[in-house]
Amino acid sequence: MSGIFALLNKLGILSAARRLDWREQASTADVAPSSETDGVPLEQTLFAQFEVLCREQPAYRTTRITFSSFDAASDYDVIVNGNTVAIVDGLNIAATIQAAANAINADGTVGAIVAASAEARNGATLDTLVLRGLAEADYTCTVATTSGTGVITADLDATGAVGKFFSLPSGLNSEPIWAVIPDSEFTVTTANVRDRMRVAGAERIYGRFAFTGGSGRIRFGLGIEE
Amino acid sequence: MSGIFTLLNKLGILAAARRLEWTEQTSFTVKPGSDIDGVTLGSALFATVHVQVREQPAYRTTRITFSAFDGVSGYTVTLDGGTPVALADGATIEATVNDAVQTLNDNVNSNLIIAASAEQRNGVWTLVLRGLAEPDYTCVVATSGGTGVITADLDATGATISIFTQPSGIAKPSAWGAFPNGAFTVTRDNFFERFRTAGMGRVYVQAAFIGGSGRVFCAPAIEE
């Protein structure tokens, strides 16, 4: 194919494929943008998909339990809807969370609320105890260190979020000034939200959302065409 | 490449680039009445309007300048109605501004409200105060003694705007008209929106800023 036809063909394929290039916004703090490096660059795209995720999956609430400081001599509790499961100490994080997953799944009360699994989320080694609700409704989860110096943390899916989007106009390089995108305010439920918005003329996009009851994520998918 | 492909390629690049060409509209307080009001659209199909209530939505900015400097005058900055902070006189505006930065950042009351810095903008030394939190704060400046004149220019706290357009292809002078659904209330989050302007020759934004000053920019766009 000649150069121009090859180019047009590639553009057509890219346009039709609609394979988005997703980028996660690093910060989900509930603050307005102020820096020209806030948010996500739009790469001169005309439209962008956005998604505000309160849950990993709408069907159930997920809790991620990790050890920011591990002490094999510590004792830990996982408390789900007020019901406590004591975690048996292991020699290391992987052994401890595997034992915890087994204990939770075997517990007649807590095992009926969540399903536990030991997962490697930040590398090849098991490092996260993941609880997934067995029903759609929210459940509560707290963790505690009952002895020793270990530090255990529970990161729950948010129960909701409220916020809006800002964009940074292109071509105002000397004074990059963020501005809210009109009609971009959303109340997000545990069902999450994903939609597209017209961003032609904007250089960057930023989501400012206040997540309640846990943590969430904000991502943008850049597309070639409409 | 043949002519048509060259042209299509250029148009494609221009359309995709989306790099807007901004023009600041410096007069905006009254309705348009002249053929040279606002910003020319250059036959653009769309125009983007940017109304700046704040320099950044995250904090309020105050720019303090000396329109007349007198080294023997006393100057104060009062934040949120608290105790006035006296600025040390310097031999020059530059020295006074830099001393003021140190004074305000060291003061146990003011340094809880703002962070001060010295900037030279268009050759003018300016004392810049940026709020440490998102809510508005107040700032009042005063001169005692001498002939110095100190001025505080705060970000506005909000604005109301109305978009007007002037048709193309009509003999001048032609009447401006309000853009349908073109009236907006702008918060400290600022405003950035595009409007379909095909068939229009110029765009104008009437803006009333509240509680301080703001800026208006318009940018014709190539496509879509």
Side-chain angles (χ1 to χ4, degrees):
Chain A
M1 259 189 288
S2 68
I4 184 62
F5 286 118
L7 174 62
L8 289 171
N9 196 35
K10 287 175 184 172
L11 288 174
I13 290 168
L14 285 169
S15 176
R18 306 289 193 281
R19 185 163 182 81
L20 301 177
D21 176 12
W22 285 98
R23 298 166 183 203
E24 183 154 4
Q25 183 175 300
S27 170
T28 55
D30 180 22
V31 294
S34 61
S35 159
E36 56 195 281
T37 59
D38 283 341
V40 167
L42 287 167
E43 310 282 9
Q44 300 179 346
T45 189
L46 308 184
F47 292 87
Q49 292 269 354
F50 67 85
E51 59 180 19
V52 181
L53 305 177
C54 288
R55 284 187 168 186
E56 289 190 13
Q57 292 294 351
Y60 48 78
R61 190 178 205 186
T62 302
T63 302
R64 298 152 291 273
I65 297 172
T66 54
F67 295 90
S68 54
S69 174
F70 182 72
D71 174 9
S74 289
D75 291 321
Y76 308 97
D77 282 346
V78 174
I79 303 138
V80 176
N81 280 357
N83 305 291
T84 301
V85 176
I87 297 180
V88 178
D89 295 338
L91 292 177
N92 52 41
I93 292 176
T96 302
I97 64 172
Q98 186 62 68
N102 294 341
I104 289 168
N105 290 333
D107 186 276
T109 303
V110 175
I113 302 170
V114 298
S117 60
E119 299 183 8
R121 289 206 164 194
N122 302 295
T125 310
L126 298 177
D127 55 18
T128 307
L129 171 61
V130 180
L131 311 185
R132 294 184 174 89
L134 294 176
E136 188 178 319
D138 285 323
Y139 60 87
T140 63
C141 178
T142 57
V143 291
T145 304
T146 54
S147 68
T149 59
V151 179
I152 187 171
T153 307
D155 175 33
L156 284 80
D157 280 349
T159 55
V162 177
K164 53 196 164 189
F165 292 96
F166 291 76
S167 65
L168 188 68
S170 67
L172 271 173
N173 269 355
S174 59
E175 297 176 72
I177 296 156
W178 288 93
V180 70
I181 297 176
D183 303 320
S184 73
E185 295 194 20
F186 290 90
T187 297
V188 187
T189 69
T190 54
N192 300 331
V193 67
R194 180 180 298 113
D195 202 353
R196 68 200 282 277
M197 64 172 67
R198 182 185 293 272
V199 292
E203 206 159 275
R204 299 182 76 88
I205 190 165
Y206 176 93
R208 176 193 182 170
F209 281 82
F211 289 97
T212 51
S215 62
R217 301 170 72 183
I218 301 168
R219 298 195 299 192
F220 299 98
L222 311 188
I224 301 291
E225 184 41 78
E226 46 76 60
Chain B
M1 266 189 282
S2 69
I4 186 63
F5 284 120
T6 303
L7 177 61
L8 286 171
N9 198 34
K10 286 178 179 173
L11 287 174
I13 291 168
L14 285 169
R18 302 294 188 280
R19 187 159 185 83
L20 303 175
E21 293 295 330
W22 291 96
T23 300
E24 182 163 10
Q25 184 188 306
T26 52
S27 298
F28 44 70
T29 55
V30 297
K31 288 184 168 55
S34 157
D35 287 340
I36 58 170
D37 282 340
V39 172
T40 181
L41 288 168
S43 303
L45 305 183
F46 291 87
T48 308
V49 169
H50 183 48
V51 177
Q52 174 187 326
V53 167
R54 281 187 169 187
E55 290 192 12
Q56 292 293 355
Y59 47 75
R60 190 178 204 186
T61 301
T62 302
R63 294 188 170 272
I64 298 173
T65 52
F66 296 88
S67 53
F69 183 72
D70 177 359
V72 300
S73 290
Y75 306 101
T76 59
V77 174
T78 305
L79 297 166
D80 278 347
T83 305
V85 179
L87 307 183
D89 293 337
T92 62
I93 293 177
E94 179 182 352
T96 302
V97 166
N98 281 287
D99 284 347
V101 169
Q102 193 73 41
T103 301
L104 289 163
N105 287 337
D106 288 344
N107 185 280
V108 295
N109 295 314
S110 62
N111 68 12
L112 297 177
I113 302 170
I114 54 93
S117 62
E119 292 181 12
Q120 197 176 23
R121 182 180 276 200
N122 300 323
V124 177
W125 277 98
T126 305
L127 172 61
V128 181
L129 313 184
R130 292 187 171 91
L132 296 176
E134 191 178 317
D136 287 321
Y137 61 86
T138 63
C139 177
V140 178
V141 294
T143 307
S144 58
T147 59
V149 178
I150 187 172
T151 307
D153 179 27
L154 285 79
D155 278 348
T157 57
T160 54
I161 64 170
S162 297
I163 315 290
F164 291 82
T165 55
Q166 190 183 42
S168 64
I170 296 178
K172 304 290 183 183
S174 62
W176 287 89
F179 202 91
N181 302 315
F184 299 89
T185 297
V186 184
T187 70
R188 64 192 185 205
D189 286 337
N190 296 333
F191 180 89
F192 175 44
E193 180 64 300
R194 65 201 285 279
F195 298 91
R196 184 181 293 273
T197 54
M200 300 298 156
R202 300 184 76 85
V203 64
Y204 177 92
V205 181
Q206 182 187 13
F209 290 99
I210 306 157
S213 62
R215 301 171 74 181
V216 175
F217 299 85
C218 300
I222 301 292
E223 190 30 86
E224 60 66 64

